[in-house]
Amino acid sequence: MNTQTKLTSHNRKPKILVARAIFPEALAKLKASFEVISNQADQVLTPQALQKALGEVEGALVTGSERIDAAALAHAKNLKIVANISVGYNNFDVPAITAAGIMASNTPDVLTDTTADFGFALLMATARRITESERWVRDGKWAQWSIVHNPLGMDLHHSTIGILGMGRIGQGIAKRALGFGMNVIYHNRSRLSVEDEKACGATYVSKEELLRLADHLVLVLPYTAQNHHTIGAPEIALMKPTATLINIARGGIVDDAALAQALQAGKIFAAGLDVFEGEPTVHPELLKCSNIVIAPHIGSGTEKTRRAMVDLAIENLRAALQGKRPPSLINTEVFKA
Ligand code: 8YV
């Protein structure tokens, strides 16, 4: 091996995968330190293409669209980290990633306030029928102002908001609700500390009480196998006919077919949905409902926050490839200092 070759191999940049389009400046910075396989076309990779790419790299930036499991990792001999650009990581089979000795990270905190803002926006749009009203106006139906014949909504102020899942985003929603004079109740796997309950002005109730008492039910829990269809026909049956249901958590937490039936039958007043089972496909029966506000999974979607998520994921990736502990490592047992 001549000196030149030695130098080249010594200076070899680690190879990484950027599985989806990211901001050009972030990609340029990555290219300064890494050899990058990037998917700037932004077409979700097939499982085969993902498996192949993971077999070639030492680090990968991925999103909720990439399922990382034993099959995806089948050839990933040199992979040290899969860094999710997302706080939720139900796209990760964490035991399989851990068994392969690979670190997994996510992007908590940086999106909490943006997502809580969005939850509130979706709640307000749903309760006050804003998108339905806009369609009504655009369809030329607004002939005159009317006391009773314009779309009439439900109040937020001084109503009861029920929050299912009281992590960082749930607590952010509770704090916003206090500003509207709302009565805040919540249910969570584990109860908050007295101080945290006080800071959110929130009262802990059982899941059944939450369903029965909430005027507005907001879902902010992570998706797990146990949480599949946490809200289905039996749960909706407990809700008030005047209630709204907001899902900013994950598709699969709500049984979308049951929800569509309930909305069509007037069992609840309305729903605001940012996430869907099998998204980006939306259940055709949901699309037929007028009492629903639909968004394309944009809870964290401000440019500032998406940049912060990408930056944090990159920080995790860089740390892992430098032998340091990634700041938001999920499977801490894999890290060896
Ligand atoms: C992501 C999200 O944009 O962070 C999450 O859990 O739902 C969103 O912020 C989405 O999951 C894509 O990875």
Side-chain angles (χ1 to χ4, degrees):
M1 202 185 271
N2 65 31
T3 326
Q4 184 57 44
T5 327
K6 261 189 201 157
L7 205 70
T8 313
S9 70
H10 184 71
N11 285 347
R12 187 188 66 81
K13 290 178 181 172
K15 202 167 176 183
I16 64 160
L17 168 69
V18 179
R20 299 297 303 278
I22 58 171
F23 300 98
E25 307 76 24
L27 187 63
K29 274 198 203 150
L30 284 171
K31 283 185 174 168
S33 330
F34 303 107
E35 190 184 328
V36 181
I37 307 179
S38 87
N39 173 23
Q40 295 308 288
D42 214 21
Q43 287 288 320
V44 177
L45 298 173
T46 61
Q48 293 77 11
L50 180 64
Q51 187 193 59
K52 182 170 179 297
L54 292 175
E56 294 173 22
V57 296
E58 291 178 46
L61 290 179
V62 299
T63 72
S65 311
E66 288 73 46
R67 172 93 190 131
I68 308 295
D69 55 13
L73 298 174
H75 307 305
K77 284 183 213 67
N78 299 317
L79 189 61
K80 295 189 178 62
I81 182 163
V82 275
N84 222 16
I85 309 172
S86 172
V87 64
Y89 52 87
N90 55 301
N91 58 313
F92 282 179
D93 179 340
V94 177
I97 299 172
T98 304
I102 296 165
M103 289 182 255
S105 63
N106 67 339
T107 58
D109 300 318
V110 291
L111 48 67
T112 301
D113 280 320
T114 295
T115 309
D117 280 355
F118 178 79
F120 230 84
L122 191 57
L123 168 57
M124 294 187 82
T126 305
R128 296 301 301 271
R129 301 173 68 179
I130 291 179
T131 55
E132 187 185 343
S133 293
E134 178 169 346
R135 287 194 297 273
W136 193 75
V137 173
R138 286 181 188 272
D139 289 349
K141 291 183 182 156
W142 190 21
Q144 57 184 8
W145 187 88
S146 163
I147 292 177
V148 287
H149 291 121
N150 294 163
L152 301 181
M154 293 292 166
D155 277 323
L156 257 71
H157 70 86
H158 303 102
S159 66
T160 294
I161 185 169
I163 303 174
L164 186 57
M166 200 58 152
R168 287 167 280 226
I169 299 169
Q171 291 176 47
I173 289 174
K175 286 173 186 161
R176 283 157 179 77
L178 292 181
F180 281 76
M182 295 171 95
N183 171 37
V184 182
I185 56 176
Y186 78 99
H187 182 75
N188 197 43
R189 251 178 332 165
S190 48
R191 195 171 165 173
L192 296 185
S193 67
V194 177
E195 299 77 56
D196 286 344
E197 278 189 356
K198 210 165 157 199
C200 296
T203 304
Y204 180 83
V205 295
S206 70
K207 183 178 167 195
E208 188 177 326
E209 281 176 292
L210 191 83
L211 293 165
R212 287 189 193 282
L213 296 174
D215 295 309
H216 307 287
L217 179 65
V218 183
L219 309 178
V220 210
L221 62 171
Y223 180 80
T224 59
Q226 294 83 338
N227 288 344
H228 184 72
H229 287 185
T230 280
I231 302 294
E235 290 75 23
I236 295 172
L238 297 177
M239 293 174 68
K240 298 181 183 181
T242 50
T244 61
L245 172 67
I246 307 299
N247 188 5
I248 57 165
R250 276 292 179 270
I253 288 177
V254 175
D255 176 344
D256 285 351
L259 175 61
Q261 268 181 14
L263 287 168
Q264 285 168 12
K267 294 206 169 128
I268 59 171
F269 180 69
L273 306 174
D274 186 42
V275 288
F276 303 86
E277 290 190 278
E279 65 186 51
T281 303
V282 177
H283 195 293
E285 291 301 319
L286 282 176
L287 290 171
K288 288 185 195 160
C289 301
S290 58
N291 48 347
I292 176 174
V293 178
I294 292 179
H297 200 149
I298 53 168
S300 64
T302 65
E303 184 171 333
K304 191 173 167 203
T305 291
R306 288 281 164 86
R307 283 185 186 276
M309 290 164 69
V310 169
D311 289 349
L312 178 53
I314 291 175
E315 219 184 307
N316 280 310
L317 177 133
R318 277 190 198 282
L321 298 193
Q322 289 167 359
K324 298 182 189 145
R325 186 189 163 112
S328 39
L329 181 62
I330 297 163
N331 51 354
T332 49
E333 65 271 40
V334 174
F335 178 71
K336 290 173 199 80

PDB file of all heavy atoms in Angstrom, residues 185-206:
ATOM      1  N   ILE A 185     -58.639  17.357  33.126  1.00  0.00           N
ATOM      2  CA  ILE A 185     -58.534  16.024  33.723  1.00  0.00           C
ATOM      3  C   ILE A 185     -57.642  15.185  32.810  1.00  0.00           C
ATOM      4  O   ILE A 185     -57.532  15.471  31.623  1.00  0.00           O
ATOM      5  CB  ILE A 185     -59.922  15.354  33.924  1.00  0.00           C
ATOM      6  CG1 ILE A 185     -60.704  15.275  32.604  1.00  0.00           C
ATOM      7  CG2 ILE A 185     -60.721  16.091  34.985  1.00  0.00           C
ATOM      8  CD1 ILE A 185     -62.040  14.540  32.727  1.00  0.00           C
ATOM      9  N   TYR A 186     -56.990  14.175  33.390  1.00  0.00           N
ATOM     10  CA  TYR A 186     -56.109  13.359  32.558  1.00  0.00           C
ATOM     11  C   TYR A 186     -56.081  11.927  33.042  1.00  0.00           C
ATOM     12  O   TYR A 186     -56.421  11.624  34.191  1.00  0.00           O
ATOM     13  CB  TYR A 186     -54.685  13.942  32.539  1.00  0.00           C
ATOM     14  CG  TYR A 186     -53.861  13.641  33.779  1.00  0.00           C
ATOM     15  CD1 TYR A 186     -52.933  12.589  33.777  1.00  0.00           C
ATOM     16  CD2 TYR A 186     -54.013  14.377  34.952  1.00  0.00           C
ATOM     17  CE1 TYR A 186     -52.169  12.309  34.899  1.00  0.00           C
ATOM     18  CE2 TYR A 186     -53.254  14.102  36.076  1.00  0.00           C
ATOM     19  CZ  TYR A 186     -52.333  13.064  36.051  1.00  0.00           C
ATOM     20  OH  TYR A 186     -51.588  12.776  37.163  1.00  0.00           O
ATOM     21  N   HIS A 187     -55.666  11.057  32.126  1.00  0.00           N
ATOM     22  CA  HIS A 187     -55.357   9.683  32.511  1.00  0.00           C
ATOM     23  C   HIS A 187     -54.047   9.318  31.855  1.00  0.00           C
ATOM     24  O   HIS A 187     -53.766   9.707  30.718  1.00  0.00           O
ATOM     25  CB  HIS A 187     -56.463   8.710  32.073  1.00  0.00           C
ATOM     26  CG  HIS A 187     -56.177   7.309  32.509  1.00  0.00           C
ATOM     27  ND1 HIS A 187     -56.330   6.899  33.817  1.00  0.00           N
ATOM     28  CD2 HIS A 187     -55.689   6.241  31.830  1.00  0.00           C
ATOM     29  CE1 HIS A 187     -55.980   5.634  33.919  1.00  0.00           C
ATOM     30  NE2 HIS A 187     -55.576   5.208  32.722  1.00  0.00           N
ATOM     31  N   ASN A 188     -53.231   8.583  32.584  1.00  0.00           N
ATOM     32  CA  ASN A 188     -51.909   8.195  32.099  1.00  0.00           C
ATOM     33  C   ASN A 188     -51.550   6.885  32.773  1.00  0.00           C
ATOM     34  O   ASN A 188     -52.099   6.563  33.827  1.00  0.00           O
ATOM     35  CB  ASN A 188     -50.906   9.291  32.525  1.00  0.00           C
ATOM     36  CG  ASN A 188     -49.601   9.213  31.751  1.00  0.00           C
ATOM     37  OD1 ASN A 188     -49.612   9.008  30.543  1.00  0.00           O
ATOM     38  ND2 ASN A 188     -48.492   9.369  32.439  1.00  0.00           N
ATOM     39  N   ARG A 189     -50.615   6.136  32.157  1.00  0.00           N
ATOM     40  CA  ARG A 189     -50.164   4.882  32.772  1.00  0.00           C
ATOM     41  C   ARG A 189     -49.721   5.140  34.210  1.00  0.00           C
ATOM     42  O   ARG A 189     -50.072   4.425  35.128  1.00  0.00           O
ATOM     43  CB  ARG A 189     -48.952   4.352  31.999  1.00  0.00           C
ATOM     44  CG  ARG A 189     -49.220   3.125  31.196  1.00  0.00           C
ATOM     45  CD  ARG A 189     -47.986   2.754  30.460  1.00  0.00           C
ATOM     46  NE  ARG A 189     -47.163   3.931  30.180  1.00  0.00           N
ATOM     47  CZ  ARG A 189     -45.897   3.910  29.806  1.00  0.00           C
ATOM     48  NH1 ARG A 189     -45.279   2.780  29.650  1.00  0.00           N
ATOM     49  NH2 ARG A 189     -45.234   5.020  29.564  1.00  0.00           N
ATOM     50  N   SER A 190     -48.903   6.181  34.403  1.00  0.00           N
ATOM     51  CA  SER A 190     -48.506   6.505  35.770  1.00  0.00           C
ATOM     52  C   SER A 190     -48.943   7.932  36.073  1.00  0.00           C
ATOM     53  O   SER A 190     -48.907   8.800  35.191  1.00  0.00           O
ATOM     54  CB  SER A 190     -47.000   6.343  35.939  1.00  0.00           C
ATOM     55  OG  SER A 190     -46.342   6.983  34.882  1.00  0.00           O
ATOM     56  N   ARG A 191     -49.310   8.117  37.327  1.00  0.00           N
ATOM     57  CA  ARG A 191     -49.802   9.432  37.740  1.00  0.00           C
ATOM     58  C   ARG A 191     -48.643  10.419  37.857  1.00  0.00           C
ATOM     59  O   ARG A 191     -47.533  10.035  38.245  1.00  0.00           O
ATOM     60  CB  ARG A 191     -50.505   9.244  39.094  1.00  0.00           C
ATOM     61  CG  ARG A 191     -51.342  10.409  39.455  1.00  0.00           C
ATOM     62  CD  ARG A 191     -52.195  10.124  40.656  1.00  0.00           C
ATOM     63  NE  ARG A 191     -52.691  11.408  41.122  1.00  0.00           N
ATOM     64  CZ  ARG A 191     -53.570  11.570  42.060  1.00  0.00           C
ATOM     65  NH1 ARG A 191     -54.067  10.503  42.661  1.00  0.00           N
ATOM     66  NH2 ARG A 191     -53.965  12.764  42.411  1.00  0.00           N
ATOM     67  N   LEU A 192     -48.885  11.688  37.542  1.00  0.00           N
ATOM     68  CA  LEU A 192     -47.840  12.710  37.668  1.00  0.00           C
ATOM     69  C   LEU A 192     -47.551  12.974  39.133  1.00  0.00           C
ATOM     70  O   LEU A 192     -48.371  12.678  40.009  1.00  0.00           O
ATOM     71  CB  LEU A 192     -48.298  14.034  37.038  1.00  0.00           C
ATOM     72  CG  LEU A 192     -48.575  14.112  35.546  1.00  0.00           C
ATOM     73  CD1 LEU A 192     -48.901  15.556  35.158  1.00  0.00           C
ATOM     74  CD2 LEU A 192     -47.391  13.608  34.740  1.00  0.00           C
ATOM     75  N   SER A 193     -46.398  13.598  39.402  1.00  0.00           N
ATOM     76  CA  SER A 193     -46.097  14.013  40.776  1.00  0.00           C
ATOM     77  C   SER A 193     -47.077  15.133  41.151  1.00  0.00           C
ATOM     78  O   SER A 193     -47.661  15.779  40.269  1.00  0.00           O
ATOM     79  CB  SER A 193     -44.667  14.549  40.860  1.00  0.00           C
ATOM     80  OG  SER A 193     -44.583  15.753  40.119  1.00  0.00           O
ATOM     81  N   VAL A 194     -47.217  15.352  42.452  1.00  0.00           N
ATOM     82  CA  VAL A 194     -48.123  16.409  42.935  1.00  0.00           C
ATOM     83  C   VAL A 194     -47.726  17.758  42.325  1.00  0.00           C
ATOM     84  O   VAL A 194     -48.582  18.531  41.891  1.00  0.00           O
ATOM     85  CB  VAL A 194     -48.079  16.470  44.488  1.00  0.00           C
ATOM     86  CG1 VAL A 194     -48.938  17.606  45.028  1.00  0.00           C
ATOM     87  CG2 VAL A 194     -48.515  15.138  45.070  1.00  0.00           C
ATOM     88  N   GLU A 195     -46.407  18.016  42.244  1.00  0.00           N
ATOM     89  CA  GLU A 195     -45.927  19.305  41.709  1.00  0.00           C
ATOM     90  C   GLU A 195     -46.319  19.441  40.227  1.00  0.00           C
ATOM     91  O   GLU A 195     -46.780  20.503  39.800  1.00  0.00           O
ATOM     92  CB  GLU A 195     -44.388  19.434  41.798  1.00  0.00           C
ATOM     93  CG  GLU A 195     -43.802  19.374  43.193  1.00  0.00           C
ATOM     94  CD  GLU A 195     -43.745  17.957  43.743  1.00  0.00           C
ATOM     95  OE1 GLU A 195     -43.134  17.097  43.087  1.00  0.00           O
ATOM     96  OE2 GLU A 195     -44.325  17.685  44.820  1.00  0.00           O
ATOM     97  N   ASP A 196     -46.125  18.357  39.466  1.00  0.00           N
ATOM     98  CA  ASP A 196     -46.449  18.432  38.041  1.00  0.00           C
ATOM     99  C   ASP A 196     -47.958  18.575  37.825  1.00  0.00           C
ATOM    100  O   ASP A 196     -48.401  19.301  36.932  1.00  0.00           O
ATOM    101  CB  ASP A 196     -45.911  17.202  37.281  1.00  0.00           C
ATOM    102  CG  ASP A 196     -44.403  17.256  37.108  1.00  0.00           C
ATOM    103  OD1 ASP A 196     -43.829  18.350  37.285  1.00  0.00           O
ATOM    104  OD2 ASP A 196     -43.794  16.204  36.817  1.00  0.00           O
ATOM    105  N   GLU A 197     -48.735  17.876  38.650  1.00  0.00           N
ATOM    106  CA  GLU A 197     -50.205  18.027  38.538  1.00  0.00           C
ATOM    107  C   GLU A 197     -50.594  19.471  38.801  1.00  0.00           C
ATOM    108  O   GLU A 197     -51.440  20.048  38.122  1.00  0.00           O
ATOM    109  CB  GLU A 197     -50.914  17.104  39.540  1.00  0.00           C
ATOM    110  CG  GLU A 197     -51.056  15.680  39.047  1.00  0.00           C
ATOM    111  CD  GLU A 197     -51.947  14.823  39.929  1.00  0.00           C
ATOM    112  OE1 GLU A 197     -52.415  15.298  40.983  1.00  0.00           O
ATOM    113  OE2 GLU A 197     -52.152  13.650  39.556  1.00  0.00           O
ATOM    114  N   LYS A 198     -49.937  20.060  39.787  1.00  0.00           N
ATOM    115  CA  LYS A 198     -50.248  21.436  40.164  1.00  0.00           C
ATOM    116  C   LYS A 198     -49.876  22.391  39.016  1.00  0.00           C
ATOM    117  O   LYS A 198     -50.660  23.283  38.658  1.00  0.00           O
ATOM    118  CB  LYS A 198     -49.463  21.798  41.424  1.00  0.00           C
ATOM    119  CG  LYS A 198     -50.160  22.800  42.293  1.00  0.00           C
ATOM    120  CD  LYS A 198     -49.531  22.836  43.654  1.00  0.00           C
ATOM    121  CE  LYS A 198     -49.839  24.164  44.284  1.00  0.00           C
ATOM    122  NZ  LYS A 198     -48.935  24.465  45.390  1.00  0.00           N
ATOM    123  N   ALA A 199     -48.707  22.149  38.430  1.00  0.00           N
ATOM    124  CA  ALA A 199     -48.243  23.028  37.345  1.00  0.00           C
ATOM    125  C   ALA A 199     -49.199  22.977  36.149  1.00  0.00           C
ATOM    126  O   ALA A 199     -49.348  23.953  35.408  1.00  0.00           O
ATOM    127  CB  ALA A 199     -46.841  22.614  36.907  1.00  0.00           C
ATOM    128  N   CYS A 200     -49.850  21.834  35.963  1.00  0.00           N
ATOM    129  CA  CYS A 200     -50.782  21.675  34.830  1.00  0.00           C
ATOM    130  C   CYS A 200     -52.216  21.936  35.255  1.00  0.00           C
ATOM    131  O   CYS A 200     -53.117  21.895  34.407  1.00  0.00           O
ATOM    132  CB  CYS A 200     -50.758  20.241  34.307  1.00  0.00           C
ATOM    133  SG  CYS A 200     -49.211  19.734  33.635  1.00  0.00           S
ATOM    134  N   GLY A 201     -52.449  22.133  36.537  1.00  0.00           N
ATOM    135  CA  GLY A 201     -53.811  22.291  37.051  1.00  0.00           C
ATOM    136  C   GLY A 201     -54.668  21.090  36.702  1.00  0.00           C
ATOM    137  O   GLY A 201     -55.861  21.216  36.417  1.00  0.00           O
ATOM    138  N   ALA A 202     -54.045  19.900  36.684  1.00  0.00           N
ATOM    139  CA  ALA A 202     -54.733  18.718  36.150  1.00  0.00           C
ATOM    140  C   ALA A 202     -55.118  17.726  37.243  1.00  0.00           C
ATOM    141  O   ALA A 202     -54.383  17.512  38.198  1.00  0.00           O
ATOM    142  CB  ALA A 202     -53.823  18.025  35.142  1.00  0.00           C
ATOM    143  N   THR A 203     -56.277  17.121  37.074  1.00  0.00           N
ATOM    144  CA  THR A 203     -56.765  16.113  38.024  1.00  0.00           C
ATOM    145  C   THR A 203     -56.728  14.741  37.370  1.00  0.00           C
ATOM    146  O   THR A 203     -57.213  14.566  36.242  1.00  0.00           O
ATOM    147  CB  THR A 203     -58.239  16.436  38.405  1.00  0.00           C
ATOM    148  OG1 THR A 203     -58.268  17.776  38.903  1.00  0.00           O
ATOM    149  CG2 THR A 203     -58.778  15.479  39.448  1.00  0.00           C
ATOM    150  N   TYR A 204     -56.151  13.780  38.105  1.00  0.00           N
ATOM    151  CA  TYR A 204     -56.047  12.409  37.586  1.00  0.00           C
ATOM    152  C   TYR A 204     -57.385  11.688  37.742  1.00  0.00           C
ATOM    153  O   TYR A 204     -58.002  11.747  38.804  1.00  0.00           O
ATOM    154  CB  TYR A 204     -54.967  11.661  38.368  1.00  0.00           C
ATOM    155  CG  TYR A 204     -54.769  10.239  37.909  1.00  0.00           C
ATOM    156  CD1 TYR A 204     -53.954   9.958  36.813  1.00  0.00           C
ATOM    157  CD2 TYR A 204     -55.378   9.177  38.565  1.00  0.00           C
ATOM    158  CE1 TYR A 204     -53.765   8.666  36.375  1.00  0.00           C
ATOM    159  CE2 TYR A 204     -55.194   7.860  38.135  1.00  0.00           C
ATOM    160  CZ  TYR A 204     -54.389   7.625  37.044  1.00  0.00           C
ATOM    161  OH  TYR A 204     -54.213   6.348  36.598  1.00  0.00           O
ATOM    162  N   VAL A 205     -57.841  11.027  36.677  1.00  0.00           N
ATOM    163  CA  VAL A 205     -59.082  10.235  36.735  1.00  0.00           C
ATOM    164  C   VAL A 205     -58.832   8.894  36.038  1.00  0.00           C
ATOM    165  O   VAL A 205     -57.835   8.725  35.337  1.00  0.00           O
ATOM    166  CB  VAL A 205     -60.269  10.962  36.044  1.00  0.00           C
ATOM    167  CG1 VAL A 205     -60.648  12.248  36.762  1.00  0.00           C
ATOM    168  CG2 VAL A 205     -59.971  11.243  34.573  1.00  0.00           C
ATOM    169  N   SER A 206     -59.753   7.963  36.207  1.00  0.00           N
ATOM    170  CA  SER A 206     -59.625   6.680  35.501  1.00  0.00           C
ATOM    171  C   SER A 206     -59.916   6.924  34.015  1.00  0.00           C
ATOM    172  O   SER A 206     -60.506   7.949  33.648  1.00  0.00           O
ATOM    173  CB  SER A 206     -60.613   5.658  36.068  1.00  0.00           C
ATOM    174  OG  SER A 206     -61.935   6.052  35.706  1.00  0.00           O
TER     175      SER A 206
END
